[in-house]
Amino acid sequence: QVQLVESGGGLVQSGGSLRLSCAASGRTFGSLTMAWFRQAPGKEREFVASIRWSGDSTMLADSVKGRFTISRDAAKNTGFVQMNNLKSEDTAVYYCAAATFLTSSVVDRTYPYWGQGTQVTVSS
């Protein structure tokens, strides 16, 4: 089992920045893949970014490339998404997800473990 707790959401003006954190606990992290998804009102959940805990591979959705970065602090078992130049279309609930295997999947059902979600609201 892996437990995930997100933090860092909030209200920010367009063009601003936020950093989301996801603290993981439970199983060992040798083969962990952590991902972020988001879901806006009335829309399906969509992939944002992922990172393999070894740090050797990251992925970003095209819609956030050049604005978001994903990283992790392995010693603290915490992953991060730094979100810069935020736009109104980034408004959503952001979820941290994890799988105890290495994967490049952008499909939410690949990831068995989920956090509770954190709201990000970007005002224009």
Side-chain angles (χ1 to χ4, degrees):
Q1 290 286 338
V2 177
Q3 293 78 44
L4 304 170
V5 179
E6 302 108 331
S7 61
L11 173 64
V12 64
Q13 289 187 334
S14 180
S17 299
L18 284 173
R19 188 175 81 157
L20 304 182
S21 301
C22 179
S25 61
R27 288 187 59 175
T28 59
F29 301 98
S31 298
L32 190 77
T33 302
M34 181 177 284
W36 291 87
F37 290 80
R38 66 186 181 185
Q39 188 166 22
K43 295 187 177 181
E44 293 187 354
R45 189 158 53 187
E46 65 174 356
F47 172 82
V48 175
S50 67
I51 185 168
R52 297 184 180 182
W53 216 243
S54 60
D56 64 344
S57 178
T58 62
M59 293 178 60
L60 291 167
D62 287 344
S63 59
V64 305
K65 283 181 180 177
R67 301 187 298 122
F68 291 14
T69 56
I70 186 170
S71 62
R72 93 282 183 262
D73 183 333
K76 296 182 178 179
N77 293 335
T78 301
F80 306 97
V81 172
Q82 177 66 42
M83 307 186 296
N84 298 326
N85 190 22
L86 283 161
K87 305 175 181 180
S88 57
E89 52 262 44
D90 295 317
T91 295
V93 177
Y94 283 71
Y95 296 92
C96 175
T100 54
F101 49 86
L102 299 181
T103 179
S104 299
S105 175
V106 301
V107 177
D108 55 1
R109 62 180 178 270
T110 301
Y111 299 86
Y113 305 105
W114 290 80
Q116 80 282 1
T118 184
Q119 177 70 47
V120 171
T121 303
V122 184
S123 63
S124 56

